[in-house]
Amino acid sequence: MKKIVLTIFALSLVFSSCEFDKGFEEMNVNPGKAAQIDVANKFASVVLQTSGGRYENWRASLIYQSVMIQHFSSTAGYWSGDRYFRNDGYATSLWDRYYPSAVKEIEDIRAQLTAAGNTGSEMGMTRILRVFIYSRITDLHGDCPYSEAGQGYTNGILKPKYDAQKDIYTGTGGFLQELEEAVAQIGASTTLGASDLVFQGNTTKWKAWGNSMMLRLAMRLSKVDPATSKAWAVKAIGNGTMTSNDHIALIKHTDGPGGINKNGHGEVFDADGNPRMSKTFVDWLKDDPRLPILAARRSDKSTAIADLIGMPNGSTSATVPDTSIYAEPNRNVITKKDVPMVLQTYAEVEFMKAEAAQRGWTAGSAATHYNNGVKAAMQMLSQIYPNAAAITDAEVTAYLALKPYDATKGLQMIGEQYWAATLLNEYEAFSNWRRTGFPVLTPTNDPGNVTGGTIPRRLIWPTGEESTNADNYKAAVAAQGPNNFTTRVWWDKQ
Amino acid sequence: MTNMDNLDIVPNSTLKRNSLGLNSSQKLGDKITVDVNMKYILEDQEGNPQLSDSPGNGNFAVNLFAPTVNVNDMLGEGGLGRNADLTEFRISDNSYSQNPWFAAWNYINSSEKERFIGALNARWDIKDYLYVRGRIGGDRYDLHRTGSTPWGTAYQPNGSMNETKSSFRQYDADVFIGTDNLQLDSDITLTAFVGIGQNSQEYNATGVSGSDFIVPGLIDVKNTKNQGSSWSYWKKQINSAYGSAELGFMDYAYLTLTARNDWFSTLSLKDKKAPNNDLYTSASLSFVLSDALDLGSSVDFLKLRGGYSQVAGGADSPYALSLSYGIYGQGHLGASLGNISGGTIPNSEITPFEKNETEFGIDLRMFDNKLSIDATYYDNETLGDIVGVSASATSGYGSALANLGNISNKGIELLIKGTLMQSDDFAWNASINYTNNTSKVVATNDTGGNISMQEPRSRNLRVTHIVGEKYGALYGSSYVRDASGAIVHQMVNGIPIPKIGPRKILGFGVAPTQLGIGSSVRYKDFNASVLFEGKTGGQIYSGSNAFLIRNGHHKKTVPAGGREAGWVPTGVMEDGSAITTSIPAAQQEDYYRRTYSIAEEAIFDSDYMRLRQLSIGYNIPSDKLDGTFIDKATISLIGRNLFFLSNSVDNIDPESAYNNSNSAGLEWFGLPVPRTIGLNVNLKF
């Protein structure tokens, strides 16, 4: 007995002197990961995340917006935007993908630059891209997490509040203020170089984009707050916006090796043969040299003008048994996986300047800006899409002679041109249509629609937020209105 | 040595397993004993069926066809569901509605696994009252997986493939010193040991993948346009020190005390303040009443036991305590891509969780062991469980790692066995196995928030732990109902359709009650047995039924008078008036498209009772085997899962739900548990 007690006692002593977790701290460090990486690698990543994957480009961009806005049309039942069906997963796809990727990454970069005391070009570029990312979310859904978003790790915020869209645009730290400060801090050069997948380190182009985005977001407010809209638009124009097609903000893609490298829209067209050119759009493109570049007949790829017929939105497999007779987005030109994703163009800037002049906000000539815009919109195609035939100055002149600017219906002409110029930037096309009301679109009216036969004014929030972020979600519904497709966002005042 | 060949109910799906085992025990002198066990297993799997969503899951497509569609019309070239040029034999305009034959015969999803399990156990009896024991055990496998979406697949015309080689190593080792049945006093014995142990696990996988085949039908990564590679590695370890002492009194009362301390590598981090280890103890007392007292001749054995125990555990996954970054993809136009790894917010101060349990039991055998009752009552609570607390996706992350709350479970387990008749030629036995568990989420985090787990593809419901409720609530969108419970409808485009109500608790995924009833009969050399099993008290969200209803394939979507006659739904209008509008056939689809978004529509009680097993066997009498090399021979016919006595879920097998504990109660086109009928021949030489 005594021996045993002694033995146990002795063993206990031996045990207690052991270090039982020797090497554990080193073992629990992942050998395949780093504790921190260079901002450049993160910046390149976040730019591609902003361009987006197949997932949200399929659902939010094409399945909903491109057909709602009648660039395209489709008879397939799951193309929910054509006939205003509700598909929660599709409608919330941008939100679902952007917050855990683009938003998370841009906030991480901002935190790293802030910690490093960076107040120069890199911070300025990061802030501009950050505004772009959130602008897509808020324009599509309305109120959304902004000031507290993407900070689950840095600030431990698991349930971010929804900021009012008014504050997101015009508040302290809001879009307009952010863009002004961001452009001001961009210097002559940046260390990001090749990791800047938008402008390859050209800070002059970043400044022009920052101001152009300020103009875009200022114009958004024309219905809800014309005075603020005008003030910021004038400021943006004064600060220097894009001046040529060389300034277009776009992200270049390659056909592989991974999905991340490919144009998300291109991946969709690879997998989905359903989209056709909308009759609304093809009819509008009559006498327009862009038509055979953008469209081709589905059955035989013909781009002869006579063969290019748009399919009416609202068609079903019952009303259109054979969709191959209609034109589809030209698969030889605009649907490839290695074409760039366009974020904002010089043509849009000229159209906005035309609108500002037409409204009397600036002294410029609306007609001149309109003509510049049309020319840029036509000639940018061969610059963006390698397979697009170049549209000559003569063709532009001929078109403008056929459709000269008419101030009495100036806003409509500008709005329609803007709509045509933002094909495959469906987020922008949908926003500008809601703001200007142009082009005038006839809604489809399928019995299954959830909008009372009207074109949606927004896409819904994920209803999963009801359980993961309940209080803030309820507050947002109380502030903005019911979570459906007809509630208007703040700037989309009736 | 065993050899198994299994053909699945899905075409082209096979499993082959060969194993070789070796056990040996050796005495070295009279004080040292060494045991060695080894097992070597080769497993070859082809065409593992894919579950859940189309494509790749042939079952999904088959379920969604109209009943008038014959699957055999889709066989295509050679019955492989494809055309002569190797492209998919399309059955629909929707490229995601896949030809099930194509899925079964052309997709590759195969694996080869080589596994080795070995254990060495040595004991040295130093003195007659003292021994030292050492054990080391290893379990390791190498796995080679190949997967391919073939060239010609409608939704991915150029196809893709991947090859992964992974290895897993697990070692357990411990050494302890102890004493067995040491007589401390004439009435008291001691069995005790103290020791240290270690468990370590390591995983290492490398893979290559490619997309866009260049030569159709050639399954080789080099034959793809876009290639990628991956590496995945982790290692984790638990070290332990432990001791146990059992004091026996007069051979009928036993007191057992244990203490154990575990250190977890998964909870270790430089500069961490919270502990990475936990000390836990237990005490239990058992009392063989039938030995202590004379309980009469009918009681053969009666034991009462009671105890309190603690168990601690660490985080399952390593590397979860700190944020890390990775470089991914293969760069883009000269730039390398990097970002934060993982979607869970790390927590540097995670501590071990504890489970505390109080248990009482009774073990009674009576009437010459013809009746036995084994009953247990338990009451436990799990404190500080390590879970990912759901975060709003807008935080940038899906969840945050945390020590969370308190989940309690109470219940009984009861096993009654009886011999109803017995003679030399005839025996009849029966048994009942009953368990009932009541769970409760006592606390979650500081604010008592919900913990969200999985959601189904329809995304209108989420498995959620809610304070004050049972574990695993099915929390999803509901119908709006009036005071009498009638479903409230609204007019949309001229037809009445149900309003979507708020999310609420629609049921609980874990069935609290299980019942098994078995019986066996033997007559001379014949024997037969039957086993019924069932569960009750839980609910299930059936994604299959949700889909079938939406697409008009569920029986309930056909009104009594047929669809063409129009149909007036049951319920009331928003203003409380009766529904009078009939929905024409063309718009009935819109009605069910709406009900698809209401999770409540596809919630069912998951109660069932099934014939789990029926077997009939025959022992060939040994006198008939005289003169052969066979010593003993048994032949039996075994049927499993033959039918349901009752099943409260439409169309599906409630057991085909995903059975991951975080998503209990969700079902989405799973394969039913197969009905098998087998002939078993058992020979002994």
Side-chain angles (χ1 to χ4, degrees):
Chain A
M1 179 71 193
K2 207 171 158 190
K3 280 181 191 164
I4 294 163
V5 173
L6 274 174
T7 312
I8 291 172
F9 184 70
L11 280 168
S12 312
L13 271 181
V14 172
F15 285 2
S16 59
S17 64
C18 291
E19 199 188 335
F20 272 92
D21 57 357
K22 196 168 175 353
F24 275 13
E25 287 176 5
E26 294 73 28
M27 186 185 296
N28 205 30
V29 173
N30 191 336
K33 300 289 172 194
Q36 184 56 280
I37 57 173
D38 198 281
V39 164
N41 303 136
K42 296 182 182 178
F43 198 84
S45 170
V46 76
V47 168
L48 292 182
Q49 301 290 359
T50 303
S51 179
R54 187 178 83 163
Y55 187 88
E56 70 275 21
N57 278 306
W58 202 341
R59 294 161 176 78
S61 173
L62 295 178
I63 282 179
Y64 267 109
Q65 296 180 85
S66 79
V67 284
M68 271 157 39
I69 205 69
Q70 301 186 8
H71 279 148
F72 299 140
S73 59
S74 172
T75 58
Y78 65 91
W79 276 69
S80 312
D82 193 278
R83 288 176 271 158
Y84 322 141
F85 296 154
R86 176 172 174 147
N87 182 316
D88 285 42
Y90 293 2
T92 65
S93 58
L94 177 82
W95 177 294
D96 294 340
R97 287 296 153 118
Y98 255 31
Y99 275 112
S101 64
V103 166
K104 176 191 191 181
E105 292 181 25
I106 201 77
E107 293 296 350
D108 177 48
I109 293 169
R110 197 165 70 125
Q112 188 178 357
L113 290 173
T114 303
N118 186 312
T119 54
S121 301
E122 296 73 31
M123 184 58 110
M125 292 155 64
T126 298
R127 290 168 82 179
I128 289 174
L129 190 60
R130 178 173 170 270
V131 168
F132 179 84
I133 291 164
Y134 284 109
S135 71
R136 276 200 164 168
I137 298 171
T138 186
D139 288 345
L140 199 55
H141 299 281
D143 295 357
C144 66
Y146 171 64
S147 59
E148 295 185 349
Q151 297 166 39
Y153 178 73
T154 42
N155 290 319
I157 301 172
L158 304 188
K159 297 175 177 179
K161 69 169 187 193
Y162 286 55
D163 293 286
Q165 192 178 58
K166 180 176 195 290
D167 298 332
I168 295 173
Y169 266 82
T170 63
T172 308
F175 288 167
L176 294 166
Q177 186 197 20
E178 275 292 293
L179 288 172
E180 185 172 26
E181 292 175 13
V183 169
Q185 71 187 163
I186 292 178
S189 66
T190 168
T191 56
L192 291 174
S195 294
D196 165 15
L197 294 172
V198 185
F199 293 120
Q200 292 71 43
N202 184 327
T203 54
T204 307
K205 290 184 182 177
W206 272 95
K207 282 169 172 277
W209 187 32
N211 290 328
S212 301
M213 206 190 309
M214 187 193 292
L215 176 59
R216 173 193 277 185
L217 300 180
M219 296 305 285
R220 277 289 195 268
L221 311 185
S222 68
K223 274 199 295 194
V224 70
D225 185 353
T228 304
S229 178
K230 175 184 172 183
W232 282 95
V234 169
K235 182 186 284 188
I237 292 168
N239 287 352
T241 52
M242 295 176 182
T243 55
S244 78
N245 278 340
D246 289 338
H247 281 161
I248 293 174
L250 54 76
I251 299 164
K252 287 187 177 143
H253 286 282
T254 52
D255 186 2
I260 186 81
N261 306 98
K262 300 174 191 173
N263 180 312
H265 282 141
E267 289 186 274
V268 176
F269 290 116
D270 225 25
D272 196 333
N274 284 301
R276 297 288 174 274
M277 299 298 282
S278 164
K279 178 175 192 300
T280 315
F281 192 33
V282 172
D283 289 355
W284 187 89
L285 284 168
K286 196 169 178 288
D287 306 319
D288 191 315
R290 286 174 286 192
L291 179 57
I293 296 172
L294 301 177
R297 184 157 69 182
R298 170 74 179 176
S299 57
D300 60 359
K301 313 293 173 218
S302 165
T303 56
I305 301 298
D307 294 340
L308 299 175
I309 304 165
M311 184 173 81
N313 289 90
S315 301
T316 66
S317 50
T319 60
V320 179
D322 179 11
T323 64
S324 71
I325 57 170
Y326 291 115
E328 66 173 348
N330 190 337
R331 288 179 175 264
N332 189 36
V333 181
I334 64 171
T335 69
K336 299 201 164 295
K337 287 173 286 191
D338 58 359
V339 299
M341 186 67 82
V342 176
L343 308 180
Q344 192 174 13
T345 60
Y346 162 63
E348 291 166 52
V349 170
E350 285 294 336
F351 291 131
M352 287 188 285
K353 285 183 176 175
E355 182 181 337
Q358 177 67 35
R359 287 178 184 274
W361 291 356
T362 56
S365 154
T368 304
H369 287 303
Y370 174 88
N371 292 346
N372 291 345
V374 170
K375 184 176 178 193
M378 291 186 170
Q379 297 191 335
M380 74 182 178
L381 292 179
S382 58
Q383 206 162 330
I384 296 169
Y385 302 109
N387 288 358
I391 293 174
T392 62
D393 288 354
E395 284 175 295
V396 174
T397 309
Y399 176 85
L400 287 172
L402 202 66
K403 295 186 178 172
Y405 184 68
D406 175 357
T408 60
K409 45 177 187 171
L411 292 182
Q412 176 169 4
M413 291 185 77
I414 296 165
E416 290 176 357
Q417 288 292 348
Y418 197 100
W419 170 70
T422 48
L423 178 73
L424 291 178
N425 185 355
E426 306 301 332
Y427 297 95
E428 185 54 28
F430 179 46
S431 290
N432 205 61
W433 171 79
R434 282 178 289 164
R435 178 179 72 84
T436 64
F438 299 119
V440 176
L441 299 173
T442 306
T444 64
N445 198 6
D446 188 272
N449 82 75
V450 294
T451 59
T454 62
I455 297 176
R457 306 304 297 195
R458 69 186 274 269
L459 297 188
I460 54 175
W461 290 309
T463 55
E465 284 275 298
E466 274 181 62
S467 53
T468 55
N469 195 8
D471 295 343
N472 291 316
Y473 175 84
K474 278 182 201 138
V477 172
Q480 180 170 288
N483 185 21
N484 58 32
F485 290 85
T486 51
T487 295
R488 287 165 180 254
V489 304
W490 167 73
W491 55 249
D492 185 19
K493 197 181 143 193
Q494 199 132 21
Chain B
M1 205 159 122
T2 63
N3 180 9
M4 184 193 83
D5 276 16
N6 184 21
L7 274 171
D8 200 82
I9 51 172
V10 174
N12 195 32
S13 178
T14 59
L15 168 66
K16 288 181 188 168
R17 189 184 291 142
N18 295 296
S19 65
L20 181 67
L22 180 72
N23 297 327
S24 132
S25 180
Q26 206 158 13
K27 270 197 164 314
L28 307 172
D30 50 349
K31 297 214 159 170
I32 295 176
T33 321
V34 179
D35 296 316
V36 180
N37 301 308
M38 282 186 288
K39 197 166 190 186
Y40 179 73
I41 305 161
L42 275 175
E43 198 175 272
D44 197 349
Q45 239 176 321
E46 302 261 350
N48 305 354
Q50 299 190 23
L51 297 184
S52 192
D53 222 340
S54 180
N57 178 3
N59 196 43
F60 183 88
V62 171
N63 265 290
L64 291 181
F65 296 140
T68 49
V69 171
N70 185 349
V71 173
N72 290 325
D73 291 342
M74 303 168 184
L75 282 164
E77 193 81 7
L80 302 178
R82 63 191 191 199
N83 300 309
D85 64 358
L86 303 186
T87 56
E88 180 178 342
F89 180 63
R90 297 279 296 268
I91 53 171
S92 153
D93 286 344
N94 180 351
S95 55
Y96 283 87
S97 179
Q98 193 162 59
N99 185 322
W101 299 105
F102 187 82
W105 288 104
N106 298 277
Y107 273 64
I108 294 176
N109 188 13
S110 64
S111 63
E112 278 171 37
K113 190 174 180 180
E114 195 176 359
R115 186 173 179 191
F116 180 80
I117 305 168
L120 184 119
N121 193 337
R123 178 177 166 129
W124 176 28
D125 292 298
I126 306 174
K127 305 271 184 190
D128 51 358
Y129 60 86
L130 194 66
Y131 67 87
V132 177
R133 233 174 125 172
R135 294 186 296 202
I136 181 160
D139 182 354
R140 46 186 292 166
Y141 67 72
D142 292 288
L143 177 68
H144 182 186
R145 258 179 205 287
T146 305
S148 172
T149 298
W151 184 91
T153 303
Y155 88 97
Q156 203 188 101
N158 296 321
S160 64
M161 70 168 296
N162 60 71
E163 297 249 17
T164 313
K165 281 216 172 199
S166 57
S167 65
F168 174 77
R169 310 270 180 267
Q170 171 162 254
Y171 293 105
D172 284 289
D174 53 12
V175 55
F176 50 100
I177 181 164
T179 181
D180 283 337
N181 288 315
L182 183 71
Q183 208 72 31
L184 297 181
D185 183 273
S186 59
D187 289 337
I188 300 173
T189 56
L190 173 71
T191 298
F193 57 85
V194 289
I196 54 173
Q198 182 177 78
N199 168 281
S200 90
Q201 294 180 28
E202 192 175 1
Y203 177 81
N204 197 338
T206 50
V208 289
S209 60
S211 63
D212 296 1
F213 287 112
I214 298 158
V215 179
L218 178 60
I219 310 297
D220 176 357
V221 169
K222 293 195 299 300
N223 180 40
T224 58
K225 253 167 56 190
N226 297 315
Q227 299 170 13
S229 61
S230 65
W231 178 57
S232 156
Y233 173 89
W234 55 258
K235 184 173 185 184
K236 62 181 182 179
Q237 194 168 317
I238 301 169
N239 290 345
S240 317
Y242 51 84
S244 163
E246 183 186 84
L247 284 166
F249 180 72
M250 301 270 283
D251 287 338
Y252 59 75
Y254 297 92
L255 172 69
T256 310
L257 302 169
T258 69
R260 181 180 174 116
N261 203 108
D262 283 344
W263 287 261
F264 303 97
S265 77
T266 57
L267 300 180
S268 301
L269 182 73
K270 198 165 186 291
D271 301 327
K272 186 187 178 193
K273 292 187 267 311
N276 65 349
N277 69 94
D278 195 43
L279 173 71
Y280 51 96
T281 55
S282 77
S284 65
L285 191 63
S286 69
F287 199 73
V288 184
L289 215 57
S290 51
D291 286 354
L293 303 167
D294 182 7
L295 299 174
S297 61
S298 58
V299 176
D300 306 307
F301 182 78
L302 173 62
K303 182 165 106 172
L304 303 175
R305 59 196 148 79
Y308 174 80
S309 66
Q310 296 178 322
V311 181
D316 229 21
S317 314
Y319 318 133
L321 272 58
S322 57
L323 195 72
S324 64
Y325 293 85
I327 299 293
Y328 67 93
Q330 295 167 62
H332 188 71
L333 299 170
S336 298
L337 312 175
N339 62 7
I340 295 169
S341 298
T344 296
I345 302 169
N347 182 337
S348 60
E349 298 299 330
I350 286 287
T351 57
F353 70 84
E354 265 191 6
K355 182 175 176 184
N356 303 329
E357 177 164 282
T358 308
E359 184 184 314
F360 299 100
I362 180 170
D363 187 353
L364 172 67
R365 276 169 253 158
M366 296 178 75
F367 313 120
D368 294 331
N369 292 322
K370 280 184 180 159
L371 175 68
S372 78
I373 298 173
D374 191 345
T376 306
Y377 168 83
Y378 61 86
D379 181 348
N380 68 45
E381 53 179 12
T382 305
L383 300 172
D385 200 6
I386 301 169
V387 295
V389 186
S390 68
S392 162
T394 61
S395 72
Y397 300 81
S399 59
L401 196 69
N403 282 110
L404 211 68
N406 176 349
I407 290 166
S408 94
N409 279 285
K410 290 175 200 177
I412 55 169
E413 292 168 355
L414 183 65
L415 176 63
I416 302 172
K417 285 187 191 169
T419 304
L420 303 175
M421 291 172 106
Q422 190 162 29
S423 69
D424 285 347
D425 284 345
F426 186 75
W428 180 20
N429 297 305
S431 70
I432 295 176
N433 189 347
Y434 171 86
T435 65
N436 186 305
N437 179 67
T438 309
S439 64
K440 188 176 176 185
V441 179
V442 181
T444 54
N445 59 358
D446 299 345
T447 56
N450 296 346
I451 308 173
S452 304
M453 311 306 281
Q454 306 286 312
E455 63 179 0
R457 186 77 201 250
S458 54
R459 306 194 57 191
N460 50 16
L461 171 139
R462 200 180 259 281
V463 178
T464 307
H465 301 329
I466 301 170
V467 174
E469 300 291 342
K470 287 187 280 187
Y471 185 83
L474 301 174
Y475 189 73
S477 56
S478 59
Y479 281 113
V480 177
R481 292 176 187 274
D482 71 3
S484 69
I487 295 171
V488 176
H489 289 62
Q490 61 189 151
M491 292 301 281
V492 174
N493 293 307
I495 61 164
I497 65 170
K499 291 184 75 167
I500 302 179
R503 289 191 177 215
K504 63 180 192 187
I505 297 174
L506 302 170
F508 296 90
V510 182
T513 307
Q514 294 189 42
L515 181 66
I517 299 172
S519 186
S520 64
V521 176
R522 180 181 60 79
Y523 175 69
K524 290 190 174 166
D525 289 312
F526 291 92
N527 60 69
S529 73
V530 64
L531 175 64
F532 296 96
E533 276 182 1
K535 284 189 183 182
T536 178
Q539 282 78 29
I540 191 170
Y541 173 79
S542 169
S544 302
N545 278 297
F547 236 82
L548 293 173
I549 294 168
R550 188 183 82 163
N551 288 13
H553 292 145
H554 191 286
K555 203 162 96 183
K556 73 181 281 185
T557 62
V558 185
R563 287 180 177 138
E564 283 67 24
W567 165 65
V568 181
T570 313
V572 294
M573 295 306 300
E574 281 177 289
D575 60 4
S577 63
I579 300 175
T580 51
T581 312
S582 174
I583 305 177
Q587 279 179 275
Q588 286 168 19
E589 181 187 355
D590 302 332
Y591 185 91
Y592 291 110
R593 189 179 290 126
R594 166 60 60 94
T595 63
Y596 176 74
S597 59
I598 299 173
E600 186 180 341
E601 174 65 30
I603 295 279
F604 295 83
D605 283 334
S606 57
D607 302 345
Y608 67 88
M609 177 58 75
R610 75 190 316 162
L611 179 62
R612 174 70 72 197
Q613 182 165 312
L614 180 68
S615 76
I616 299 165
Y618 176 63
N619 282 318
I620 297 172
S622 46
D623 52 358
K624 298 212 169 112
L625 297 171
D626 280 350
T628 69
F629 59 93
I630 299 164
D631 204 25
K632 199 175 171 203
T634 315
I635 183 162
S636 45
L637 186 65
I638 301 173
R640 289 182 61 82
N641 306 311
L642 296 181
F643 56 84
F644 282 98
L645 292 153
S646 69
N647 175 5
S648 62
V649 194
D650 294 346
N651 300 311
I652 62 152
D653 181 341
E655 285 191 290
S656 61
Y658 339 142
N659 47 14
N660 170 336
S661 66
N662 286 344
S663 54
L666 302 182
E667 183 272 344
W668 201 267
F669 288 95
L671 281 177
V673 179
R675 175 184 299 155
T676 61
I677 296 174
L679 188 70
N680 205 342
V681 180
N682 206 332
L683 303 176
K684 277 201 174 153
F685 311 112

